[in-house]
Amino acid sequence: MNIGEKIKRLRLSKLMTQADLAGSQITRNMLSSIEHGTALPSLPTAIYIARRLNVPVGYLLAEEDNEFSYRKMANIGNIRRAFAEKDYAGCLSLLAALGEEKDDELSLIRAECEYGVAQDAFEKGRLRFAVAALDRAYQATTQTVYQTAWLRERIAVCFRYLSGLSGTLVSDVLDVEETENAKALGDFLVEYVLALEALEGGQAEMAMAYMRRYPTSLYAQRLSALLLMKKEDYVGAQAALESLLARDELTFGVLLYEVFGDLECCYRKNDDYKRAYEFSGSRLGILERLLEEI
Protein backbone atom coordinates (compact mmCIF):
# COMPACT_ATOMS: atom_id res chain seq x y z
CA MET A 1 0.00 0.00 0.00
CA ASN A 2 1.51 3.35 -1.03
CA ILE A 3 1.42 6.56 0.97
CA GLY A 4 -1.59 7.95 -0.87
CA GLU A 5 -3.64 4.81 -0.25
CA LYS A 6 -2.71 4.89 3.44
CA ILE A 7 -3.75 8.54 3.75
CA LYS A 8 -7.09 7.91 2.04
CA ARG A 9 -7.86 4.84 4.14
CA LEU A 10 -7.04 6.66 7.38
CA ARG A 11 -9.01 9.73 6.33
CA LEU A 12 -12.10 7.68 5.55
CA SER A 13 -11.78 5.69 8.77
CA LYS A 14 -11.89 8.97 10.69
CA LEU A 15 -14.87 10.23 8.63
CA MET A 16 -12.87 13.19 7.35
CA THR A 17 -13.41 14.88 4.01
CA GLN A 18 -10.47 15.89 1.85
CA ALA A 19 -11.14 19.49 2.84
CA ASP A 20 -11.08 18.50 6.53
CA LEU A 21 -7.71 16.84 6.15
CA ALA A 22 -6.20 19.47 3.88
CA GLY A 23 -6.93 22.21 6.37
CA SER A 24 -5.18 25.48 5.71
CA GLN A 25 -1.73 24.21 4.82
CA ILE A 26 -2.33 22.27 1.58
CA THR A 27 -5.00 22.42 -1.10
CA ARG A 28 -7.72 19.82 -1.56
CA ASN A 29 -6.48 19.26 -5.13
CA MET A 30 -2.97 18.52 -3.88
CA LEU A 31 -4.36 16.06 -1.33
CA SER A 32 -6.46 14.40 -4.03
CA SER A 33 -3.36 13.99 -6.21
CA ILE A 34 -1.45 12.44 -3.30
CA GLU A 35 -4.28 10.03 -2.53
CA HIS A 36 -4.52 8.95 -6.17
CA GLY A 37 -0.76 8.41 -6.38
CA THR A 38 -0.09 11.08 -9.02
CA ALA A 39 1.92 13.22 -6.60
CA LEU A 40 4.14 12.56 -3.59
CA PRO A 41 4.06 14.81 -0.53
CA SER A 42 7.15 16.65 0.63
CA LEU A 43 8.41 15.72 4.10
CA PRO A 44 6.83 18.81 5.74
CA THR A 45 3.53 17.96 4.03
CA ALA A 46 3.73 14.32 5.15
CA ILE A 47 4.40 15.46 8.73
CA TYR A 48 1.42 17.85 8.54
CA ILE A 49 -0.92 15.16 7.22
CA ALA A 50 0.28 12.63 9.79
CA ARG A 51 -0.42 15.07 12.62
CA ARG A 52 -3.93 15.72 11.36
CA LEU A 53 -4.54 11.97 11.07
CA ASN A 54 -2.99 11.39 14.52
CA VAL A 55 -0.51 8.77 13.33
CA PRO A 56 3.30 8.76 13.34
CA VAL A 57 4.73 10.09 10.11
CA GLY A 58 6.83 6.92 9.96
CA TYR A 59 3.69 4.93 9.33
CA LEU A 60 2.89 6.98 6.23
CA LEU A 61 6.44 6.77 4.90
CA ALA A 62 7.07 3.08 5.59
CA GLU A 63 6.73 0.62 2.72
CA GLU A 64 4.88 -1.96 4.83
CA ASP A 65 1.37 -1.43 6.14
CA ASN A 66 1.92 -2.17 9.83
CA GLU A 67 -0.21 0.43 11.55
CA PHE A 68 -0.04 -1.42 14.88
CA SER A 69 3.73 -0.93 15.12
CA TYR A 70 3.32 2.81 14.76
CA ARG A 71 0.41 3.00 17.17
CA LYS A 72 2.60 1.17 19.66
CA MET A 73 5.51 3.51 18.94
CA ALA A 74 3.31 6.50 19.58
CA ASN A 75 1.92 5.16 22.86
CA ILE A 76 4.67 3.04 24.37
CA GLY A 77 6.10 5.97 26.33
CA ASN A 78 2.83 6.50 28.18
CA ILE A 79 2.41 2.75 28.67
CA ARG A 80 5.86 2.40 30.22
CA ARG A 81 5.32 5.48 32.38
CA ALA A 82 2.04 4.13 33.77
CA PHE A 83 3.67 0.76 34.40
CA ALA A 84 6.65 2.32 36.20
CA GLU A 85 4.25 4.32 38.39
CA LYS A 86 2.32 1.10 39.17
CA ASP A 87 -0.83 2.54 37.66
CA TYR A 88 -1.76 -0.93 36.48
CA ALA A 89 -5.39 -0.18 35.64
CA GLY A 90 -4.36 2.90 33.65
CA CYS A 91 -1.67 0.93 31.85
CA LEU A 92 -4.21 -1.75 30.88
CA SER A 93 -6.50 0.95 29.48
CA LEU A 94 -3.67 2.25 27.31
CA LEU A 95 -2.94 -1.28 26.11
CA ALA A 96 -6.60 -1.85 25.29
CA ALA A 97 -6.63 1.32 23.19
CA LEU A 98 -4.06 -0.27 20.87
CA GLY A 99 -6.61 -2.88 19.80
CA GLU A 100 -6.62 -6.66 19.74
CA GLU A 101 -3.21 -7.13 18.13
CA LYS A 102 -0.47 -8.22 20.56
CA ASP A 103 3.29 -8.56 20.63
CA ASP A 104 5.74 -10.09 23.09
CA GLU A 105 6.59 -6.92 24.99
CA LEU A 106 3.00 -5.78 25.38
CA SER A 107 1.85 -9.24 26.45
CA LEU A 108 4.47 -9.29 29.19
CA ILE A 109 3.43 -5.82 30.36
CA ARG A 110 -0.22 -6.88 30.25
CA ALA A 111 0.53 -9.98 32.35
CA GLU A 112 2.31 -7.98 35.05
CA CYS A 113 -0.40 -5.31 35.06
CA GLU A 114 -3.19 -7.86 35.45
CA TYR A 115 -1.26 -9.43 38.32
CA GLY A 116 -0.92 -6.01 39.94
CA VAL A 117 -4.65 -5.38 39.48
CA ALA A 118 -5.36 -8.78 41.07
CA GLN A 119 -3.24 -7.96 44.12
CA ASP A 120 -4.99 -4.62 44.52
CA ALA A 121 -8.39 -6.34 44.28
CA PHE A 122 -7.27 -8.89 46.87
CA GLU A 123 -6.24 -6.12 49.24
CA LYS A 124 -9.67 -4.49 48.82
CA GLY A 125 -11.55 -7.74 49.38
CA ARG A 126 -12.81 -8.10 45.79
CA LEU A 127 -11.91 -11.75 45.50
CA ARG A 128 -13.83 -12.72 42.38
CA PHE A 129 -12.39 -9.71 40.56
CA ALA A 130 -8.94 -10.81 41.75
CA VAL A 131 -9.50 -14.32 40.41
CA ALA A 132 -10.58 -12.99 37.00
CA ALA A 133 -7.50 -10.72 36.84
CA LEU A 134 -5.20 -13.61 37.78
CA ASP A 135 -6.67 -15.70 34.97
CA ARG A 136 -6.10 -12.87 32.51
CA ALA A 137 -2.54 -12.47 33.81
CA TYR A 138 -1.85 -16.16 33.30
CA GLN A 139 -3.28 -16.11 29.78
CA ALA A 140 -1.06 -13.13 28.91
CA THR A 141 2.03 -15.05 30.09
CA THR A 142 1.34 -17.63 27.38
CA GLN A 143 1.32 -14.98 24.64
CA THR A 144 4.95 -13.86 24.90
CA VAL A 145 8.32 -15.46 24.22
CA TYR A 146 9.77 -13.82 27.33
CA GLN A 147 10.43 -15.93 30.41
CA THR A 148 7.32 -15.78 32.59
CA ALA A 149 7.58 -18.93 34.71
CA TRP A 150 8.31 -16.74 37.75
CA LEU A 151 5.02 -14.90 37.26
CA ARG A 152 3.00 -18.04 36.58
CA GLU A 153 4.35 -19.47 39.85
CA ARG A 154 3.22 -16.40 41.78
CA ILE A 155 -0.20 -16.55 40.16
CA ALA A 156 -0.50 -20.21 41.12
CA VAL A 157 0.44 -19.49 44.76
CA CYS A 158 -2.26 -16.82 44.90
CA PHE A 159 -4.84 -19.21 43.47
CA ARG A 160 -3.89 -21.87 46.00
CA TYR A 161 -4.47 -19.41 48.81
CA LEU A 162 -7.75 -18.13 47.39
CA SER A 163 -9.11 -21.62 46.81
CA GLY A 164 -8.37 -22.34 50.48
CA LEU A 165 -10.68 -19.48 51.43
CA SER A 166 -13.52 -20.79 49.29
CA GLY A 167 -13.94 -23.69 46.91
CA THR A 168 -15.76 -21.32 44.55
CA LEU A 169 -12.56 -19.36 43.89
CA VAL A 170 -10.86 -21.40 41.18
CA SER A 171 -8.87 -20.71 38.05
CA ASP A 172 -10.25 -21.37 34.58
CA VAL A 173 -6.77 -21.72 33.09
CA LEU A 174 -4.39 -23.24 35.69
CA ASP A 175 -4.40 -26.97 36.27
CA VAL A 176 -4.53 -28.41 39.80
CA GLU A 177 -0.98 -29.75 39.72
CA GLU A 178 0.53 -26.40 38.81
CA THR A 179 -1.44 -24.71 41.58
CA GLU A 180 -0.50 -27.29 44.21
CA ASN A 181 3.24 -27.30 43.44
CA ALA A 182 3.94 -23.58 43.03
CA LYS A 183 6.64 -22.27 45.40
CA ALA A 184 7.62 -18.90 43.96
CA LEU A 185 8.88 -16.04 46.11
CA GLY A 186 9.22 -12.45 45.10
CA ASP A 187 6.48 -10.24 46.52
CA PHE A 188 4.79 -9.60 49.83
CA LEU A 189 1.62 -11.58 49.06
CA VAL A 190 3.12 -14.86 47.85
CA GLU A 191 5.76 -14.73 50.57
CA TYR A 192 2.99 -14.28 53.14
CA VAL A 193 1.08 -17.25 51.71
CA LEU A 194 4.18 -19.46 51.79
CA ALA A 195 4.99 -18.30 55.32
CA LEU A 196 1.47 -19.24 56.42
CA GLU A 197 1.72 -22.65 54.79
CA ALA A 198 5.11 -23.31 56.38
CA LEU A 199 3.83 -22.26 59.79
CA GLU A 200 0.82 -24.56 59.46
CA GLY A 201 3.28 -27.35 58.68
CA GLY A 202 5.21 -26.68 61.89
CA GLN A 203 8.06 -24.72 60.30
CA ALA A 204 8.36 -21.26 61.81
CA GLU A 205 11.53 -20.14 60.00
CA MET A 206 9.77 -18.71 56.93
CA ALA A 207 7.27 -16.81 59.08
CA MET A 208 10.09 -15.32 61.12
CA ALA A 209 11.98 -14.39 57.95
CA TYR A 210 8.86 -12.63 56.66
CA MET A 211 8.54 -10.69 59.90
CA ARG A 212 12.16 -9.54 59.60
CA ARG A 213 11.66 -8.52 55.96
CA TYR A 214 8.39 -6.64 56.51
CA PRO A 215 8.51 -5.78 60.23
CA THR A 216 5.78 -3.12 60.25
CA SER A 217 3.30 -4.81 57.94
CA LEU A 218 -0.13 -6.02 59.00
CA TYR A 219 0.69 -9.48 57.70
CA ALA A 220 3.83 -9.67 59.83
CA GLN A 221 1.83 -8.75 62.92
CA ARG A 222 -0.65 -11.50 62.21
CA LEU A 223 2.18 -14.00 61.76
CA SER A 224 3.61 -13.00 65.14
CA ALA A 225 0.20 -13.71 66.72
CA LEU A 226 0.04 -17.08 64.98
CA LEU A 227 3.47 -17.96 66.35
CA LEU A 228 2.14 -17.28 69.85
CA MET A 229 -0.88 -19.47 69.13
CA LYS A 230 1.45 -22.26 68.01
CA LYS A 231 3.08 -21.99 71.44
CA GLU A 232 -0.41 -22.09 73.02
CA ASP A 233 0.05 -18.61 74.41
CA TYR A 234 -3.51 -17.60 73.63
CA VAL A 235 -3.52 -14.67 76.06
CA GLY A 236 -0.52 -13.12 74.32
CA ALA A 237 -1.91 -13.96 70.88
CA GLN A 238 -5.25 -12.35 71.75
CA ALA A 239 -3.52 -9.17 72.85
CA ALA A 240 -1.44 -9.09 69.65
CA LEU A 241 -4.54 -9.61 67.49
CA GLU A 242 -6.53 -6.95 69.33
CA SER A 243 -3.63 -4.57 68.75
CA LEU A 244 -3.68 -5.50 65.06
CA LEU A 245 -7.44 -4.96 64.92
CA ALA A 246 -6.95 -1.43 66.28
CA ARG A 247 -4.61 -0.37 63.47
CA ASP A 248 -6.16 2.11 61.05
CA GLU A 249 -4.57 0.34 58.08
CA LEU A 250 -6.60 -2.82 58.71
CA THR A 251 -9.68 -2.32 56.58
CA PHE A 252 -12.19 -4.67 55.00
CA GLY A 253 -10.55 -7.60 53.25
CA VAL A 254 -9.12 -11.09 53.62
CA LEU A 255 -6.78 -10.16 56.45
CA LEU A 256 -9.69 -8.85 58.53
CA TYR A 257 -11.51 -12.13 57.88
CA GLU A 258 -8.47 -14.09 59.04
CA VAL A 259 -7.95 -11.96 62.16
CA PHE A 260 -11.58 -12.48 63.16
CA GLY A 261 -11.03 -16.24 62.84
CA ASP A 262 -7.88 -16.06 64.95
CA LEU A 263 -9.66 -14.03 67.63
CA GLU A 264 -12.55 -16.48 67.65
CA CYS A 265 -10.04 -19.25 68.42
CA CYS A 266 -8.23 -17.22 71.09
CA TYR A 267 -11.43 -16.19 72.89
CA ARG A 268 -12.61 -19.78 72.88
CA LYS A 269 -9.28 -21.02 74.27
CA ASN A 270 -9.45 -18.26 76.90
CA ASP A 271 -13.00 -19.36 77.89
CA ASP A 272 -14.71 -16.23 76.60
CA TYR A 273 -17.33 -18.05 74.54
CA LYS A 274 -19.59 -15.04 74.09
CA ARG A 275 -16.86 -13.07 72.29
CA ALA A 276 -15.86 -16.17 70.35
CA TYR A 277 -19.45 -16.51 69.11
CA GLU A 278 -19.58 -12.82 68.14
CA PHE A 279 -16.41 -13.05 66.08
CA SER A 280 -17.61 -16.28 64.47
CA GLY A 281 -20.79 -14.61 63.23
CA SER A 282 -18.97 -11.50 62.04
CA ARG A 283 -16.43 -13.62 60.21
CA LEU A 284 -19.14 -15.37 58.21
CA GLY A 285 -20.57 -12.00 57.25
CA ILE A 286 -17.16 -10.86 56.00
CA LEU A 287 -16.76 -14.01 53.91
CA GLU A 288 -20.12 -13.42 52.24
CA ARG A 289 -19.02 -9.92 51.27
CA LEU A 290 -15.64 -11.17 50.05
CA LEU A 291 -17.36 -13.62 47.72
CA GLU A 292 -19.80 -11.15 46.22
CA GLU A 293 -19.86 -11.13 42.44
CA ILE A 294 -17.49 -8.87 40.51
Side-chain angles (χ1 to χ4, degrees), residues 1-9 34-37 40:
M1 183 180 293
N2 63 40
I3 186 170
E5 292 171 326
K6 288 181 184 179
I7 290 171
K8 182 176 181 179
R9 188 189 67 176
I34 293 171
E35 288 188 349
H36 285 89
L40 288 174

Side-chain angles (χ1 to χ4, degrees), residues 76-274:
I76 193 64
N78 290 331
I79 290 170
R80 289 171 176 161
R81 189 176 304 110
F83 181 79
E85 294 172 355
K86 298 186 178 180
D87 177 12
Y88 298 124
C91 190
L92 287 171
S93 295
L94 291 170
L95 290 169
L98 293 179
E100 295 297 320
E101 194 169 348
K102 302 176 178 66
D103 68 8
D104 293 315
E105 179 186 16
L106 297 185
S107 291
L108 179 59
I109 293 173
R110 182 177 288 105
E112 293 200 51
C113 284
E114 291 286 11
Y115 182 67
V117 165
Q119 284 200 323
D120 182 62
F122 172 85
E123 287 282 288
K124 294 176 179 176
R126 303 177 64 197
L127 298 193
R128 296 200 187 281
F129 189 94
V131 164
L134 287 172
D135 268 347
R136 292 193 299 270
Y138 186 88
Q139 289 172 323
T141 67
T142 68
Q143 297 165 346
T144 176
V145 298
Y146 292 116
Q147 170 54 251
T148 57
W150 58 273
L151 183 53
R152 290 198 298 272
E153 287 267 311
R154 293 183 189 181
I155 293 168
V157 169
C158 292
F159 268 123
R160 185 168 68 227
Y161 180 57
L162 289 169
S163 63
L165 295 172
S166 171
T168 66
L169 298 173
V170 295
S171 171
D172 291 332
V173 293
L174 270 80
D175 59 49
V176 174
E177 183 178 355
E178 187 169 7
T179 302
E180 289 178 347
N181 295 330
K183 294 293 182 184
L185 293 174
D187 64 55
F188 77 96
L189 181 55
V190 295
E191 290 182 23
Y192 170 66
V193 174
L194 295 178
L196 277 180
E197 292 174 347
L199 190 56
E200 290 168 1
Q203 300 175 346
E205 294 81 4
M206 191 170 289
M208 295 174 69
Y210 187 96
M211 291 160 58
R212 289 192 296 270
R213 191 173 296 113
Y214 308 103
T216 62
S217 76
L218 298 172
Y219 296 105
Q221 189 168 342
R222 187 204 174 207
L223 287 172
S224 68
L226 292 178
L227 284 168
L228 292 172
M229 292 172 70
K230 283 289 184 181
K231 298 174 182 177
E232 299 187 356
D233 180 4
Y234 294 103
V235 173
Q238 179 181 314
L241 290 164
E242 288 174 341
S243 174
L244 174 55
L245 199 60
R247 289 180 62 173
D248 292 337
E249 310 97 294
L250 183 60
T251 56
F252 174 77
V254 173
L255 186 57
L256 184 66
Y257 168 76
E258 291 178 320
V259 169
F260 273 40
D262 299 336
L263 281 168
E264 176 193 349
C265 176
C266 287
Y267 281 120
R268 189 172 62 250
K269 291 290 186 179
N270 294 329
D271 298 326
D272 189 342
Y273 296 104
K274 179 181 178 182

